[in-house]
Amino acid sequence: MNRYGVVQEQDWNLLQDAEFQALVRAEIEANYPEELRYPPRRLYWREQRVWFQRMAEKGWIAPSWPTEYGGMGLEPAKLLIFLSEQERWGVARFQDQGIRMIGPMLVNHGTEEQRRRFLPGILSCEDRYCQGYSEPEAGSDLASLRTRARRDGDAYVVNGSKIWTTMAHDVTHIMLLARTDPDAVAQRGISFFIIELSTPGITVRPIQDIAGHRELCEVFFEDVRVPVDNRIGEENAGWDVGKSVLSYERVNIGTPQMPAYALERLQTIARLRGMSQDRLVKGRLAELKLDVKHLSDLYTSFAAILVEGGTPGPDVSILKIWATELTRRIADLIGELAGPAGAVKGQVQVGDEQVDVLDVFYKALPSTIYGGSNDVQRNVIAKRVLGLPSEPPLRGDARPSRTPRSGSDA
Amino acid sequence: MTNSPNTSSFVGAAPEEMLADLKAVGRKAVPPDVARVRALRDEGQDFDRAQWQRLVDLGWIGLSAPVHLGGEGAGMDVVATVAEVLGRAAAPEPFASAAVLPLHWLAQLPGAAEQVVEDIVRGELIAGPAWQDEAGSIAVASPSVRANGGADAPVLNGTAWWLPVPDADVFMVLAQLSGEPVLVRCARDQRGLTLVPLELADGSRSAHLRFVDAPIEPAAVLARGDRVLRTLNAAVDATRLAVSAELLGVMERALEITLDHLRQRVQFGRPLGSFQALQHAAVDLFIQMRLTRAALEGATRVWTDPGSTDRDRAAASSSVKARASAASALITTKAVHLHGAIGFTDEHDLGQYVNRAVVLGAYLGTAHEHRDRYQELTDDEGLNKVGVAQ
């Protein structure tokens, strides 16, 4: 038993890959609710809590965290198996940003007191997080954010609004970037907070998207008092904390999960439409299959950094770019192969089965935008990885010159 | 197709620090030198024998040979590291086709073939593997050269196509004798043998070996039986991994040259690299390079995994060769575009990398062929469709 109360039955990394795979598969197949497989939209917590609470009790909720913090401590190969087994069975994802981002961030930037305070709630799934980064006037240009946090005694008073906060209406906490020094150069006056959404003064309003889902939200802050202890990292040093959270996010968006799921849907639809053996279709399927395989290979090298408790460098953006644009390409081919069924919303009969043909389309479409648009990712790589020179400033751009910006929504 | 244990002798993974050291030392020992390559080409030479000897002295030529035959007994991760250094250097020395391929093939054939291995490792013999059919088929199903006249006085007829090392001292010819595959050692001046040379894009040559009633000594048959084919197929897959690593070196250097150009070249009063359109183009090339590196790491992990089968290894090699062929073509050609006209001139170093990518991209299977093969090797319904060693 470690100090976070999570016990691992064994050191999973000592198992043969095939043994570990069989074990994970057996658990999922025996216990994952059949009606929740391949959900076409994000599920609400009440719909899926039974499964994830089971995972939490089993100690399987944080596969990539080190065991000393209550995770499974899986090495990259095992982590990929763990993820791909969920993929294979169409296991839903919950709003797991606490697992994927807050945990690693607290390990690197939090105090011991903050880890003790926040990690147990994440591990038990009682606390679930959304990401308060983007604002109406600060999307990819995140450093322009205006939400204010003004120090008042042992608390900060927050005013402003956040947007594109996925599932804010279904979680308990928000991670927030807010301006604590309005006079500093853009990135330097920002601090990072964890806030309970039940705090007085917070209003959440869902936004309907073009898929018909209500997953995105706006979050309004009106004189919201946040204890100083909820600030992560130093005052005005939140940009670096936020950036490290984004680098975890890019690893997460860059997992092979979404493209692998999309590829499986593509193969199924090609089969149901009797087109799997078409010479041209086969060639495109084979190419996409290797595109997914090489994403896995690429992911493995970044996952190794996470498992060792590190933070990936700016080159991690290539994962996000490749994973999301690959999913878009798969979605395009699904549309081409689906015929008239490709226009039908929700489940439709294709060959012998009911499938949601547009599911991948609507999953892929926003993915090149969220987590920092792919264009901004390319800017970051060009400057910080390839060492290419900055663009000259636009005339009339009065803002001080900056390091590359990086934005996010999720 | 088989799920039996692998055909080649198993060598586990080397420590990462060791590979990093090897790469650093190797890059110093064999730096990019396109002027040398151009000079060789202008003299009509495919490669430089003195440089080959230096590679022998570095221990690189014998990497793939087992220790008891004088080699290093190294795994594919080590072989790939060296191949990447050579690709980066644009070195024309046929490391993959005249070291990796024959050593992986012959070392698995006990008997007379072992002598050839020892000679190759010592640098005393350059052996050119001659086994491909006219179509350049991705898997060897049956030899295109036939031996008749019986085991006492065999006579070769037919053509071995696409030989990558026409300057070799001897040829290792795959032939069919009395219904079984055999490996024949064949001298350059073999009676009845004609070389039909082809000039390749990078200035090197390849050749078809045409045999017309070519009489060979019975002792020239070094090995016989299905294992000749089985070990050849495994050796070709090992070579594909090495060629892919060489292509990674090629694309990495081409990208490096291009990024330098984008940083330095000024047009419209700005460095080219400050234009966002060109930045994004460069990033897309970088992504392809990183995917190739990841695919190579993924493939070598399979090759150094004691549990992997021939089928796993074949799929791994096809995986990385598909990516390396396509990515090197994209990166080198786009690099020319990003340079402008200077990139299309022979005097610019970039051209050699373009041409190298053309040659190595086609060698032992194109991207298209390997995507197909990977698909079939990893699709259970595709069992037995691809002629990997039985």
Side-chain angles (χ1 to χ4, degrees), chain A residues 80 83 93 100-101 246-260 291-303 306 315-327 367 370-371 374 377, chain B residues 291:
Chain A
L80 269 177
L83 296 177
R93 268 183 62 187
R100 298 197 180 224
M101 295 176 218
L246 286 176
S247 76
Y248 307 129
E249 183 181 30
R250 274 159 210 156
V251 175
N252 295 330
I253 299 175
T255 66
Q257 271 177 296
M258 185 171 64
D291 286 344
V292 175
K293 151 83 172 132
H294 296 156
L295 174 64
S296 284
D297 290 334
L298 190 61
Y299 179 77
T300 304
S301 59
F302 285 103
L306 285 196
D315 57 338
V316 71
S317 292
I318 64 180
L319 268 184
K320 195 259 171 174
I321 295 174
W322 186 251
T324 55
E325 293 177 9
L326 171 55
T327 311
S367 71
Y370 62 57
N374 288 14
Q377 307 295 330
Chain B
L291 284 169

Side-chain angles (χ1 to χ4, degrees), chain A residues 279 286-287 289-291 293-294 297-298 302 315 318 321-322 375 378-379 382 385-392, chain B residues 263 270-271 273-274 276 279-280 283-284 286-288 290-291 294-295 298 319 322-323 371-372 374-375 378:
Chain A
R279 191 71 206 132
E287 181 170 7
K289 185 173 183 178
L290 272 174
D291 286 344
K293 151 83 172 132
H294 296 156
D297 290 334
L298 190 61
F302 285 103
D315 57 338
I318 64 180
I321 295 174
W322 186 251
D375 310 277
R378 284 186 168 87
N379 291 350
V385 182
L386 304 185
L388 294 175
S390 294
E391 278 188 287
Chain B
R263 287 184 206 108
R270 294 161 55 178
S274 69
Q276 195 184 37
Q279 290 183 346
H280 287 198
V283 169
D284 286 336
F286 175 71
I287 292 175
Q288 287 297 324
R290 288 289 298 268
L291 284 169
S319 156
R323 176 65 55 190
R371 282 177 198 138
D372 262 12
Y374 177 80
Q375 164 71 16
T378 54

Side-chain angles (χ1 to χ4, degrees), chain B residues 165-209:
Chain B
V165 206
D167 266 351
D169 303 316
V170 295
F171 304 118
M172 296 292 131
V173 182
L174 175 71
Q176 183 93 358
L177 173 64
S178 315
E180 63 177 357
V182 291
L183 164 63
V184 179
R185 177 184 171 136
C186 176
R188 293 188 66 78
D189 57 0
Q190 165 71 45
R191 190 149 56 88
L193 166 64
T194 315
L195 258 70
V196 184
L198 300 159
E199 198 180 323
L200 302 186
D202 65 349
S204 72
R205 287 170 312 150
S206 125
H208 306 317
L209 264 57

Side-chain angles (χ1 to χ4, degrees), chain B residues 6 15 29 46-47 69 72 76 93 96 98 110 113 151 158 179 185 200 219 243 255 284 301 312 316 319 333 345 376:
Chain B
N6 48 68
D46 289 346
F47 65 96
L69 296 177
E72 305 286 331
M76 286 310 295
E93 284 67 35
R185 177 184 171 136
L200 302 186
V243 173
L255 185 57
D284 286 336
R301 266 197 299 277
D312 298 333
S319 156
T333 55
T345 63
E376 293 185 5

Side-chain angles (χ1 to χ4, degrees), chain A residues 29-286:
Chain A
E29 292 189 0
N31 298 300
Y32 187 76
E34 181 65 31
E35 66 277 13
L36 298 186
R37 293 180 64 189
Y38 297 113
R41 59 170 173 83
R42 287 174 206 259
L43 299 176
Y44 289 98
W45 179 243
R46 63 172 186 275
E47 297 171 286
Q48 55 181 355
R49 62 188 303 163
V50 172
W51 168 253
F52 288 104
Q53 279 169 349
R54 180 185 169 86
M55 288 289 97
E57 278 158 29
K58 226 177 140 49
W60 282 20
I61 202 73
S64 66
W65 292 14
T67 47
E68 61 168 310
Y69 294 108
M72 292 174 81
L74 298 184
E75 61 183 33
K78 295 282 190 305
L79 180 59
L80 269 177
I81 291 171
F82 190 83
L83 296 177
S84 64
E85 283 304 309
Q86 324 233 357
E87 205 42 65
R88 179 185 159 272
W89 201 246
V91 174
R93 268 183 62 187
F94 76 113
Q95 211 44 29
D96 57 2
Q97 302 188 11
I99 306 291
R100 298 197 180 224
M101 295 176 218
I102 294 287
M105 184 274 291
L106 285 175
V107 168
N108 282 302
H109 296 279
T111 62
E112 182 58 27
E113 185 273 328
Q114 287 172 329
R115 285 193 281 273
R116 282 174 188 278
R117 206 164 116 222
F118 293 115
L119 295 188
I122 294 172
L123 286 164
S124 69
C125 290
E126 274 164 54
D127 299 345
R128 299 174 312 281
Y129 287 73
C130 64
Q131 205 174 352
Y133 276 28
S134 285
E135 298 181 5
E137 300 303 323
S140 289
D141 182 9
L142 183 59
S144 301
L145 64 87
R146 293 176 186 172
T147 293
R148 277 280 280 137
R150 188 175 40 79
R151 182 74 179 257
D152 178 26
D154 58 357
Y156 288 88
V157 179
V158 177
N159 278 287
S161 72
K162 294 288 171 179
I163 194 167
W164 319 131
T165 40
T166 303
M167 298 302 271
H169 54 329
D170 194 47
V171 299
T172 58
H173 289 65
I174 185 167
M175 48 182 129
L176 184 88
L177 280 179
R179 192 161 294 288
T180 34
D181 180 355
D183 301 322
V185 176
Q187 290 93 338
R188 297 218 189 101
I190 293 171
S191 301
F192 189 104
F193 301 92
I194 290 178
I195 303 177
E196 288 185 43
L197 281 164
S198 58
T199 313
I202 297 179
T203 317
V204 176
R205 191 160 72 200
I207 300 168
Q208 178 149 325
D209 64 28
I210 61 173
H213 304 146
R214 293 161 72 83
E215 297 173 354
L216 299 170
C217 295
E218 276 182 286
V219 184
F220 301 93
F221 298 82
E222 201 182 332
D223 292 332
V224 177
R225 287 188 73 82
V226 180
V228 171
D229 292 346
N230 283 31
R231 190 191 71 222
I232 312 294
E234 295 299 309
E235 184 173 276
N236 297 328
W239 185 252
D240 287 335
V241 181
K243 264 199 321 195
S244 84
V245 170
L246 286 176
S247 76
Y248 307 129
E249 183 181 30
R250 274 159 210 156
V251 175
N252 295 330
I253 299 175
T255 66
Q257 271 177 296
M258 185 171 64
Y261 164 73
L263 181 68
E264 189 280 329
R265 294 284 89 190
L266 169 61
Q267 288 164 337
T268 299
I269 288 164
R271 175 173 54 78
L272 293 172
R273 293 272 294 164
M275 295 170 108
S276 307
Q277 298 309 313
D278 175 280
R279 191 71 206 132
L280 285 174
V281 172
K282 265 178 91 169
R284 293 183 71 183
L285 290 177

